[in-house]
Amino acid sequence: MSIKHWPEGERPREKLLERGAAALSDAELLAILLRVGTQGMSAVDLARSLLQDFGGLGALMTAPQAELCRHKGMGRAAYAQFAAVLEIGRRVLGEEMRQLPLGDSPQKAAEFLRLRIGRERVEVGTALFLDAQNRLIACEEMGRGSVAEHTVYLGSLARRALHHHAAAVIFAHNHPGGSLNASAADLAFTERLSAALALIDVRLLDHFVVTAAAAVSIMPRGG
C-alpha cells in the first residue's frame, strides 16, 4: 500500500511534523529522503530493504555510487541525495566546531573526524588547522595511502599550516580494517610530524586513529 493511503498519524512526514524527527525510525527518516518507493514497495519498505542490505544508515549513506545503484530502486539521483545529506551534516558539525576550543572538546573533534573519514575504504590522512585559541580554521584532506609510508605528509602539513596561519594542528588517519590500535609506524610518524611542525612554531595538538565506530588519540600524554 502506498504511504499516501496510510493513516495520517503513521505517515513519516506527518509523524515528523507532529512529534519531531527523533520520534522516527531509521527507515522512516530514510523514507522521507527517498520520497517514493519502487514497484511493489512503499518508500518505507524500500528504506527497510536498503538498511538491511547495507547494514545500517552509516554504511548506506557512505556506500560508493556503483554499489548503491545496484540496489533495486536506486540510481545516480539517490546517490547524489545521500552524498549531499552526508556533506551537509559534516558542514553543520564543522560550523559548530568553529565556535569551540577543540583543545577543550576532544570528543567533538573525534566525532567530526569519525564522520568525515571513518568509513573511507582506503587510508586517508586529514588535518584540522586551528588558531591560537584552538578553534577550527579549516579541515583538509592531506592524502590517501598509508600515512607511515608518505613522508610527503610532513611537508604538505607544514605548508598548509603556514598558509592558514595555524597555531596548532590535529591530524587523523583512518584504519579501513576497523582496528583502533596504533602501529609502531603510526607512533613514529606522530613523533616526526610533531617535530616537523615545531620547526615552524606550530603545535601538534592531537593525532587520532579513526574507524567507523570510534576515534582514539594516539598522542603520548604528559610529554
Side-chain angles (χ1 to χ4, degrees), residues 126-131 134 142 157-158 160-162 166-172 193 197 200 202-207 219:
T126 296
L128 306 181
F129 298 97
L130 313 177
D131 65 16
N134 291 334
M142 302 308 301
L157 273 160
R160 297 308 295 168
L162 289 170
V169 169
I170 294 175
F171 186 75
L193 178 57
L197 291 173
I200 57 171
V202 174
R203 181 185 174 198
L204 180 61
L205 194 63
D206 221 326
H207 181 181
M219 283 282 287

Side-chain angles (χ1 to χ4, degrees), residues 161-215:
L162 289 170
H163 170 81
H164 290 297
H165 304 288
V169 169
I170 294 175
F171 186 75
H173 74 281
N174 64 308
H175 282 178
S179 172
L180 285 167
N181 295 323
S183 67
D186 290 336
L187 298 174
F189 174 82
T190 302
E191 293 183 4
R192 290 161 56 209
L193 178 57
S194 181
L197 291 173
L199 292 175
I200 57 171
D201 199 27
V202 174
R203 181 185 174 198
L204 180 61
L205 194 63
D206 221 326
H207 181 181
F208 287 96
V209 169
V210 183
T211 69

Side-chain angles (χ1 to χ4, degrees), residues 26-92:
D26 289 352
E28 289 171 329
L29 287 170
L30 186 57
I32 291 175
L33 183 61
L34 293 170
R35 295 187 298 170
V36 296
T38 189
Q39 186 174 5
M41 301 176 75
S42 70
V44 173
D45 293 330
L46 176 57
R48 288 173 179 153
S49 176
L50 285 164
L51 292 170
Q52 181 176 355
D53 288 354
F54 285 89
L57 276 175
L60 171 62
M61 299 298 286
T62 57
Q65 180 179 336
E67 187 175 332
L68 181 66
C69 291
R70 283 196 291 268
H71 194 284
K72 180 183 178 182
M74 293 293 98
R76 295 174 64 191
Y79 171 79
Q81 284 179 299
F82 290 177
V85 168
L86 188 63
E87 184 59 25
I88 288 170
R90 288 169 173 163
R91 294 188 187 190
V92 168

Side-chain angles (χ1 to χ4, degrees), residues 9 12 14-26 28-29 32:
E14 284 74 10
K15 186 176 175 181
L16 183 151
L17 293 172
E18 181 180 342
R19 299 170 55 188
L24 274 64
S25 67
D26 289 352
E28 289 171 329
L29 287 170
I32 291 175

